[in-house]
């Protein structure tokens, strides 16, 4: 086994923009081993706050054209001499050991671009942990000098909500005329979008894409106004013909400028930090239980009683908490 890198070695490598070390540091942050977690946490504390980046969440059902769009978008972003990191969260990989995002090579061209860094990440077995871990990966990428961070998720699960908690701008990709108005995407996800992007607006599909644009814009206008003052937009694009890609970036810049001016971007990030703090505290508190195997067993017993309706969830929770307090006292 190779000796592990010291925290200083990680920090120096990241500051120098070393992609191999960055990838290793992300693995460290994703690891569930306590030693790794501790080192990742020390590393993050050591790294200086980096220059301003923009964090963009991208979601949409499989087949909507996410990877093709990211490829085209990434090409455009890097042509502006900006460094782009793409973190792909695949919620399926834990469950099925396969993956929705597929075994095919995604974003092949972009992955060869020296200004781009692409990193698939399993969302981990704790859904609540997605945001915390992704936050750390984002921070590591920012420290390595990435200007634009894309967080890609598949728009079918719960991870979108946690991703919304770590990004500045949320982009929802949709197909035109795919029948079902929301294409299996939960309504709440549509409300989270800062921009809806209709993909594959080319050939015979262009007319349909324009119609869908009008329909979705109408639907979004019905949502109550956001606290940021931003009015969600609906755009169309074709990654195939490379049209509408620049407009997506211009919209993101407009969003950033507007929300920077009215202070919302900063306050949103602050709120996200607070959410992360609470989320992490809850997770750490829960993992404290694992230090007491007898409590783990008791928790399973209580779970069964709750399932069988012999005990209310509230009573079960109180009982476990009391047992935990006793165990702490004894230890
Ligand atoms: P993902 O599963 O959301 O990442 O979707 P992909 O990017 O893999 O795209 C799914 C399919 O749609 C592929 O066969 C692509 O070639 C096709 N596709 C993606 N973007 C476009 C586009 O702009 N126009 C057209 N006509 N097809 C596209």
């Amino acid at each position: 086994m190779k000796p592990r890198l010291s925290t200083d070695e990680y920090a120096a490598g990241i500051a120098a923009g070393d992609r191999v070390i960055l990838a290793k540091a992300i693995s460290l942050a994703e690891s569930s081993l306590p030693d790794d977690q501790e080192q990742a946490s020390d590393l993050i504390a050591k790294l200086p706050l980096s220059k301003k980046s923009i964090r963009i969440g991208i979601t949409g059902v499989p087949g909507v054209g996410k990877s093709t769009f990211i490829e085209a978008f990434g090409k455009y972003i890097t042509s502006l001499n900006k460094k782009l990191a793409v973190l792909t969260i695949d919620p399926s990989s834990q469950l099925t050991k396969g993956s929705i995002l597929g075994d095919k090579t995604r974003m092949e061209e972009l992955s060869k671009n020296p200004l781009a860094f692409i990193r698939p990440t399993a969302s981990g077995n704790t859904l609540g942990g997605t945001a915390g871990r992704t936050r750390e990966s984002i921070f590591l990428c920012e420290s390595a000098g990435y200007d634009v961070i894309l967080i890609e998720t598949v728009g079918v699960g719960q991870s979108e909500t946690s991703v919304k908690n770590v990004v500045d701008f949320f982009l929802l990709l949709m197909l035109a005329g795919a029948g079902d108005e929301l294409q299996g995407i939960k309504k709440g996800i549509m409300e989270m979008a800062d921009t809806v992007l209709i993909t594959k607006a080319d050939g015979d599909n262009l007319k349909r894409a324009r119609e869908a644009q009008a329909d979705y814009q109408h639907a979004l206008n019905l949502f109550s106004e956001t606290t940021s003052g931003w009015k969600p937009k609906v755009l169309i694009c074709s990654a195939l013909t490379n049209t509408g890609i620049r407009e997506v970036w211009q919209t993101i810049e407009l969003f950033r400028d507007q929300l920077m001016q009215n202070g919302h971007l900063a306050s949103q990030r602050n709120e996200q930090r607070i959410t992360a703090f609470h989320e992490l505290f809850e997770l750490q508190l829960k993992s404290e239980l694992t230090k007491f195997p007898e409590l783990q067993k008791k928790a399973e017993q209580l779970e069964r009683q709750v399932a069988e309706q012999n005990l209310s969830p509230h009573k079960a929770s109180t009982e476990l908490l009391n047992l935990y307090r006793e165990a702490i006292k004894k230890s």
Side-chain angles (χ1 to χ4, degrees), residues 18-30:
D18 185 321
R19 285 142 53 112
V20 176
I21 294 190
L22 172 62
K24 278 190 181 159
I26 293 178
S27 301
L28 193 72
E30 281 175 352

Side-chain angles (χ1 to χ4, degrees), residues 37-56:
Q37 285 286 302
E38 199 181 319
Q39 194 181 8
S41 167
D42 288 348
L43 172 63
I44 283 162
K46 207 167 214 150
L47 290 168
L49 278 182
S50 47
K51 58 179 178 156
K52 294 268 170 288
S53 73
I54 179 97
R55 305 167 182 172
I56 305 165

Side-chain angles (χ1 to χ4, degrees), residues 194-263:
D194 295 303
T195 286
V196 170
L197 179 62
I198 317 278
T199 54
K200 310 189 193 182
D202 46 55
D204 292 346
N205 213 21
L206 182 58
K207 187 167 165 280
R208 246 178 306 169
R210 290 210 174 107
E211 285 164 4
Q213 183 179 23
D215 288 348
Y216 283 125
Q217 190 65 68
H218 181 68
L220 287 185
N221 290 346
L222 296 178
F223 293 149
S224 49
E225 204 167 305
T226 53
T227 45
S228 65
W230 173 255
K231 290 195 172 59
K233 312 241 177 305
V234 184
L235 301 173
I236 60 173
C237 84
S238 164
L240 199 71
T241 60
N242 213 18
T243 44
I245 307 293
R246 185 176 12 156
E247 285 73 7
V248 175
W249 176 241
Q250 285 169 341
T251 302
I252 294 170
E253 281 192 309
L254 186 72
F255 173 92
R256 187 187 54 193
D257 293 347
Q258 194 175 314
L259 271 71
M260 232 162 23
Q261 242 168 29
N262 69 16

Side-chain angles (χ1 to χ4, degrees), residues 291-309:
K291 292 184 185 155
F292 302 100
E294 70 278 14
L295 286 189
Q296 286 279 90
K297 270 202 203 111
K298 186 69 196 174
E300 282 161 27
Q301 248 177 42
L302 290 168
E303 218 173 75
R304 273 196 302 276
Q305 282 177 275
V306 170
E308 288 159 6
Q309 303 196 11

Side-chain angles (χ1 to χ4, degrees), residues 61-68 104 106 152 200 202 238-240:
V61 292
V64 71
K66 290 180 297 300
S67 66
T68 319
K104 64 189 164 140
R106 307 175 81 238
E152 179 199 14
K200 310 189 193 182
D202 46 55
S238 164
L240 199 71

